[in-house]
Amino acid sequence: MIRIKTYKSILCILLSLVLFSCDSDNNSSSGNNEQVSQDIIVTKEKLVGDWILISSIVDNENVSPSEFECLKNSTATFNQDDTYEVTFLKLGSNSMTLCSRTVTQSGIYTVVGLNSVTFFNFDSEIELIDDTLQITSKVTNGNVQQEQIDIFIRSDNSELGENQEEETDSVETDNQTDDNNDDNTFDGTEVIQNVLGKWEIDSDKDCLQQNTFEFKPQSVFEFIQHKETFNRRDLLAYSVSVSYPLPENINATIIKGNSTVVFDTSAECQFIKTSTLEYIVKDEKTIVLKNISGVKLLLEDNNTIKLVYTYTFTDSNANEQVREFIYRKL
């Protein structure tokens, strides 16, 4: 009798252990499913939106500024409905068709886990790595096949942020227009004699106060601007491809159009832009820069010039803004 009771007790214990084990497995499986679901939500939130190309690397080396000039305009868009489109802008067949070749990939994506996404209708390998979207392709240069890695970051990434105060202290001289031409009948000989030479900005800001311009013979105008720091947006403007996040040490000199820009993280003023332009005397008090809209130089007296810069600042209203800077003759 005692043996039967003992047997029944052991049987009950075994059944309890089996039921507990099954329940634990179910709980573990449920927990894993919940984690996967959460990973999918987090990854999709990170992925959905607009991305822009910030770096292009071929066989472990950043491409040259001339090659990156077109590539930097490449974009990627991922939608909530699981569709995507990636567009690469590339050099055309000749200088007359600059950036005219467009390569577009589109299709359906599926988020399968944390930072893990599968893509359909895509010829290259695409990965989410940290805060970047990286696309790896095979490119042919002559008879040599090379590996190209294009790195995208979200368009709202903090590295693309603008220092609004420093941005408004910079005068844009790269975008040329036909607003100011040389159809001018005013004889500016006397004005030119008064303004020839170097002028320095009147400012107490460390780097800004180093800004100068110089009126030279043959209507040559040299304009030098300084900024304390620069960001990713500045680098992209001059087609400089660097890794993400920004490396601590950057040293690059870029010539673009009529400007030479020096990026140097070790310098007191990390951004220096020198522009060589042409000036036109419009009347006894007004000088403009040929083909550069929005900039006027107003003669206050023989030792004072007011530089008036009119531009559209990208704020919520996109209103026209005006900045004025005083320069004194050295």
Side-chain angles (χ1 to χ4, degrees):
M1 189 71 175
I2 294 174
R3 290 180 178 177
I4 294 173
K5 287 183 177 179
T6 302
Y7 175 77
K8 287 182 177 180
S9 298
I10 294 172
L11 184 61
C12 287
I13 292 171
L14 290 173
L15 286 172
S16 297
L17 289 172
V18 170
L19 290 173
F20 177 77
S21 176
C22 291
D23 187 56
S24 297
D25 288 343
N26 288 336
N27 289 338
S28 176
S29 176
S30 175
N32 288 337
N33 289 337
E34 289 179 4
Q35 183 61 49
V36 170
S37 296
Q38 185 62 31
D39 289 345
I40 289 174
I41 292 172
V42 169
T43 300
K44 187 161 185 176
E45 285 180 353
K46 180 192 293 188
L47 184 64
V48 168
D50 297 321
W51 300 70
I52 63 174
L53 183 68
I54 52 95
S55 181
S56 189
I57 302 167
V58 175
D59 283 354
N60 298 318
E61 290 189 7
N62 289 308
V63 300
S64 66
S66 59
E67 292 178 271
F68 196 58
E69 179 68 24
C70 294
L71 274 172
K72 70 180 182 181
N73 298 304
S74 303
T75 60
T77 300
F78 293 86
N79 303 307
Q80 193 70 40
D81 64 358
D82 299 335
T83 60
Y84 72 89
E85 182 174 279
V86 180
T87 301
F88 289 97
L89 199 61
K90 300 185 177 184
L91 281 169
S93 56
N94 56 62
S95 59
M96 298 299 291
T97 57
L98 184 67
C99 303
S100 62
R101 191 157 60 95
T102 301
V103 178
T104 300
Q105 297 275 9
S106 61
I108 304 295
Y109 71 88
T110 302
V111 180
V112 294
L114 185 62
N115 290 337
S116 181
V117 185
T118 59
F119 296 85
F120 300 93
N121 295 342
F122 208 97
D123 297 334
S124 305
E125 180 184 353
I126 186 166
E127 299 176 277
L128 266 178
I129 300 177
D130 297 326
D131 293 330
T132 69
L133 181 75
Q134 299 192 16
I135 298 177
T136 303
S137 311
K138 296 297 183 182
V139 296
T140 301
N141 186 4
N143 295 323
V144 179
Q145 191 174 63
Q146 299 172 308
E147 181 180 76
Q148 178 167 325
I149 301 176
D150 295 305
I151 301 174
F152 294 75
I153 61 174
R154 289 181 60 94
S155 59
D156 57 359
N157 188 289
S158 60
E159 279 202 358
L160 296 172
E162 295 183 8
N163 183 328
Q164 294 190 3
E165 183 177 359
E166 282 210 332
E167 288 298 322
T168 54
D169 285 343
S170 300
V171 178
E172 181 59 60
T173 59
D174 294 324
N175 298 327
Q176 296 197 10
T177 71
D178 293 327
D179 291 350
N180 299 322
N181 54 51
D182 54 5
D183 293 335
N184 190 47
T185 58
F186 179 76
D187 182 1
T189 304
E190 184 176 347
V191 175
I192 292 172
Q193 289 303 315
N194 289 332
V195 300
L196 281 176
K198 185 173 287 188
W199 300 66
E200 184 178 57
I201 196 169
D202 187 353
S203 173
D204 57 0
K205 295 182 180 179
D206 288 344
C207 283
L208 184 64
Q209 67 182 353
Q210 298 183 43
N211 286 6
T212 62
F213 58 65
E214 183 176 0
F215 293 95
K216 298 181 178 182
Q218 284 76 53
S219 299
V220 174
F221 182 82
E222 184 181 74
F223 189 21
I224 304 178
Q225 302 181 75
H226 299 72
K227 287 201 302 183
E228 184 176 352
T229 60
F230 59 85
N231 57 29
R232 176 80 67 177
R233 192 178 298 276
D234 295 313
L235 292 167
L236 288 174
Y238 291 93
S239 306
V240 181
S241 172
V242 296
S243 59
Y244 177 88
L246 285 175
E248 291 184 5
N249 298 314
I250 299 176
N251 192 319
T253 299
I254 306 299
I255 299 175
K256 182 179 179 181
N258 51 36
S259 298
T260 299
V261 176
V262 176
F263 298 95
D264 186 357
T265 50
S266 66
E268 178 185 2
C269 301
Q270 297 182 9
F271 177 97
I272 302 176
K273 177 180 178 181
T274 302
S275 304
T276 304
L277 309 164
E278 185 176 347
Y279 66 90
I280 302 169
V281 179
K282 302 294 286 186
D283 56 47
E284 61 184 9
K285 292 290 184 181
T286 308
I287 298 173
V288 296
L289 303 179
K290 186 175 182 180
N291 297 332
I292 304 297
S293 63
V295 180
K296 285 186 178 181
L297 300 158
L298 304 178
L299 278 66
E300 303 282 290
D301 55 50
N302 288 342
N303 296 299
T304 307
I305 287 180
K306 180 189 294 183
L307 188 156
V308 181
Y309 177 42
T310 304
Y311 63 100
T312 301
F313 192 76
T314 310
D315 58 10
S316 56
N317 299 313
N319 291 325
E320 191 173 74
Q321 308 286 323
V322 177
R323 291 299 305 271
E324 296 181 352
F325 307 92
I326 297 298
Y327 281 74
R328 310 286 184 188
K329 194 168 188 179
L330 294 177

